[in-house]
Amino acid sequence: MDKVVCDGYTLCYADRGEGEAVVLLHGFCGSSAYWEPLVPLLSGSLRCIVPDLRGHGSSDAPLGAYSIEQMADDVLKLLDELNVEKATMLGHSMGGYVTLSFAQRYTSRLNGFGLIHSTGYADDEAGKEKRLKAVSTIQTEGMTAFIDGLIPGLFAPGTAKSRPELIQKAKEIGYLTPPQGAAGAALAMRERPDRRDVISASALPVLLVAGEHDGIAPPEKVFSSDRPNITKATIKGAGHMSMMETPEELAGIVRSFLKES
């Protein structure tokens, strides 16, 4: 992977293909590796820029709480370093929260944006308490125990039996997350504001993708707005991880969105 320095911290990324730039942002306790099944399906005609977000993968993981705004600013600095004036940004789960922060503050740098199994809603009180419990589990039981409890619920029911290799791959990616990075990101998600208005007010093309069996970001939370510039897609059979579960279908949705937008 290549590297850039953002505010003294190293951000690692992959840069694949040529053409219109598409930035793919992974979810919590993931990394650019989440997108490995998808990138080859897109990079024949698109430039895929795929970073490890702050605290994840091979990027630096500073101590302390992060903010979604910091993570979005990291991506902005990456685009500046790569001399990418405009891109389409697609964020999975936590990466969607980063995408919304970026879209709210740096609209002129985007051709469009999308949420992949993500939402504009803020955490409710139960969700905020769940973030604190995650931090506690990470600190007291370690990343292996935390990831073993987290990952199976991200996939559609039955995947553990029908495609156990996907569960194992996602776990292996998660095990590599530095514990301080996971804790910092959990606190960032806890404090993020409601950004449904970014989706509903944007004049940019917006893509919203939901999984039929997503227990983390169900379709009713993904589809928070209904305007002519918004493209909605529900992937049958997918849970929260369509980039791994159904990459061909997700790639088709992305290609169609970019062609029409």
Side-chain angles (χ1 to χ4, degrees), residues 4-21:
V4 298
V5 177
C6 302
D7 288 339
Y9 300 113
T10 298
L11 192 74
C12 294
Y13 67 96
D15 190 352
R16 303 283 183 268
E18 296 181 355
E20 180 182 350

Side-chain angles (χ1 to χ4, degrees), residues 136-147:
S136 177
T137 300
I138 291 164
Q139 293 175 338
T140 59
E141 300 179 31
M143 284 304 297
T144 298
F146 178 71
I147 292 297

Side-chain angles (χ1 to χ4, degrees), residues 176-192:
L176 297 176
T177 308
Q180 72 272 23
L187 295 174
M189 291 188 291
R190 184 178 188 271
E191 298 303 322
R192 77 186 191 279

